[in-house]
Amino acid sequence: MAERLTPRAREIVAAARALLEESGAAALTMRTLADRLGIKAPSLYKHFPDKHAVEVELTAQMLAESAEALEAAEAHTPGSLETLAEAYRTYALAHPHLYCLATEQPLPRAELPAGLEDRAALPLLRACAGDLDLARAIWAFAHGMVILEIHGRFPADADLDAAWKRGLKVLHV
Amino acid sequence: MAERLTPRAREIVAAARALLEESGAAALTMRTLADRLGIKAPSLYKHFPDKHAVEVELTAQMLAESAEALEAAEAHTPGSLETLAEAYRTYALAHPHLYCLATEQPLPRAELPAGLEDRAALPLLRACAGDLDLARAIWAFAHGMVILEIHGRFPADADLDAAWKRGLKVLHV
DNA sequence: CGTCGTGGCTAACGGCGTTAGCCAGCCTGG
DNA sequence: CCAGGCTGGCTAACGCCGTTAGCCACGACG
């Protein structure tokens, strides 16, 4: 499989990611992105058709990295739902802006590397012994916990560790 | 408790809501909102300090209406987690843009009517017999299912009814 | 040595939220 | 009865945003 991006395009994505993680989605602007690279905004369009295409690359990064995190957890403690959940939560909370960007819009499946979506889902599916419905329920729970926490929807004094534990206990087969 | 808004402000919120529900968050613009009311954008600032304040009112509406939906479900079938979940899902999917707007940002607690957040949470908490951790886990599951569905994150052929059923069965005490 | 692709640039467009400042009409108090 | 001020419109404008058009310098290559 050919490289998805030219070296310059990869530099741009790296700068975009730094900007996003440091300052949030609102700060990810074609002009500030260009600034950080020492060029002017219109030059970015020599490398990407539009801003969305840059965001798609960030989404692909997030998917690939969370897949790696889950695979590592699986390798460390095979079959453990708790370990998988811990890895998911840790990754998402370590990259909240990236997680939101990748998550709060329709998945641009056509523009993503083939197999990436499946790869990200497989460790959980294996831990569920192929039970698709259970895997989706657990994914929804984990995503819900993470996204509600990131957006500050839980009361400040909520014991989220306990809620995670409670949900996982009960979701475990 | 005094009225939160003047009549004119309520008209503006109503127009904002129609715009949002018909055309999505991107279409909710101070200019198009003003257009729909037959005035110019700057005039809106006689009624609201900024766009965020309008969005807060929409968030409050969503919270109040979903609380009503849950209370009605509770009245109809007291203690049933399934009925509550069904009501939550139905409400959210009937108003996807409103649900996202109200959900995908930090809760503006200071600007919301007192007690509203609690009221929205109470039916579920009652169904969980006061078990806060369980209630939060179930809320995360329900929110995750709804938001992933709205954003098209599940595969097109996913059987979401089955995933809901599976999650609820297992979360039910 | 010319030609062409690459990757910069400036200028500009239309749309965004928002501000400043103006004004018509109405309500109210003297 | 009229003066004053409040209410709720208006226009013009600012500084952002994503994006396009069109120009140009430079290096690779036939």
Side-chain angles (χ1 to χ4, degrees):
Chain A
M1 165 175 150
E3 292 300 332
R4 287 172 56 75
L5 299 174
T6 65
R8 188 51 166 155
R10 250 171 286 141
E11 288 177 21
I12 292 173
V13 173
R17 172 153 182 180
L19 209 47
L20 174 68
E21 299 220 34
E22 288 165 18
S23 314
L28 181 52
T29 276
M30 294 305 263
R31 283 173 170 88
T32 62
L33 175 55
D35 265 3
R36 177 177 279 250
L37 291 156
I39 61 180
K40 302 296 176 181
S43 303
L44 294 170
Y45 292 83
K46 299 289 181 171
H47 305 277
F48 291 93
D50 51 30
K51 188 185 177 184
H52 177 71
V54 179
E55 293 176 342
V56 167
E57 289 307 314
L58 295 174
T59 298
Q61 281 193 6
M62 183 277 184
L63 245 30
E65 289 172 17
S66 73
E68 280 164 31
L70 295 179
E71 286 159 6
E74 187 182 30
H76 183 276
T77 316
S80 163
L81 191 55
E82 285 72 20
T83 307
L84 234 39
E86 176 68 22
Y88 190 88
R89 183 186 184 192
T90 300
Y91 178 79
L93 294 184
H95 309 278
H97 296 301
L98 181 60
Y99 185 84
C100 287
L101 181 79
T103 254
E104 290 182 346
Q105 55 186 318
L107 241 206
R109 292 191 170 86
E111 303 148 67
L112 250 27
L116 182 54
E117 184 182 5
D118 287 347
R119 185 183 157 213
L122 269 179
L124 176 57
L125 193 55
R126 280 191 288 262
C128 291
D131 184 337
L132 269 171
D133 298 329
L134 180 62
R136 287 180 185 135
I138 293 174
W139 180 33
F141 165 71
H143 174 67
M145 286 297 300
V146 160
I147 208 76
L148 290 172
E149 179 172 0
I150 290 177
H151 286 143
R153 309 288 302 193
F154 289 117
D157 63 350
D159 183 349
L160 300 185
D161 281 342
W164 271 95
K165 215 174 278 185
R166 197 81 167 77
L168 286 175
K169 188 178 76 177
V170 103
L171 282 160
H172 202 310
V173 179
Chain B
M1 164 176 150
E3 292 300 332
R4 286 174 57 77
L5 299 175
T6 65
R8 186 54 166 155
R10 252 172 283 143
E11 287 177 22
I12 292 173
V13 173
R17 172 152 182 181
L19 208 48
L20 174 68
E21 298 221 34
E22 287 165 19
S23 315
L28 181 52
T29 277
M30 294 306 262
R31 283 173 170 87
T32 62
L33 175 55
D35 265 4
R36 177 177 282 250
L37 290 156
I39 62 178
K40 303 294 176 182
S43 302
L44 294 170
Y45 292 81
K46 299 290 182 169
H47 305 277
F48 291 93
D50 51 30
K51 186 184 178 186
H52 177 71
V54 179
E55 293 175 342
V56 167
E57 289 307 315
L58 294 174
T59 298
Q61 282 194 5
M62 184 276 183
L63 246 31
E65 290 172 16
S66 73
E68 280 165 29
L70 295 179
E71 286 160 5
E74 189 183 29
H76 183 275
T77 317
S80 162
L81 192 55
E82 284 73 19
T83 307
L84 234 39
E86 175 70 19
Y88 190 88
R89 184 185 184 193
T90 300
Y91 179 80
L93 295 183
H95 309 278
H97 296 302
L98 180 61
Y99 185 85
C100 287
L101 181 78
T103 255
E104 290 182 347
Q105 54 187 322
L107 240 206
R109 291 191 170 85
E111 302 148 68
L112 250 27
L116 182 53
E117 184 182 6
D118 288 346
R119 185 185 157 210
L122 269 178
L124 176 57
L125 192 56
R126 279 191 289 262
C128 291
D131 184 337
L132 267 171
D133 297 330
L134 181 61
R136 286 180 186 134
I138 294 174
W139 180 32
F141 165 72
H143 174 66
M145 287 296 300
V146 159
I147 208 76
L148 291 172
E149 178 173 3
I150 290 176
H151 286 144
R153 309 289 302 194
F154 289 117
D157 63 350
D159 183 348
L160 300 185
D161 281 342
W164 270 95
K165 215 174 278 185
R166 198 81 165 76
L168 286 176
K169 188 178 75 177
V170 103
L171 282 161
H172 200 311
V173 180

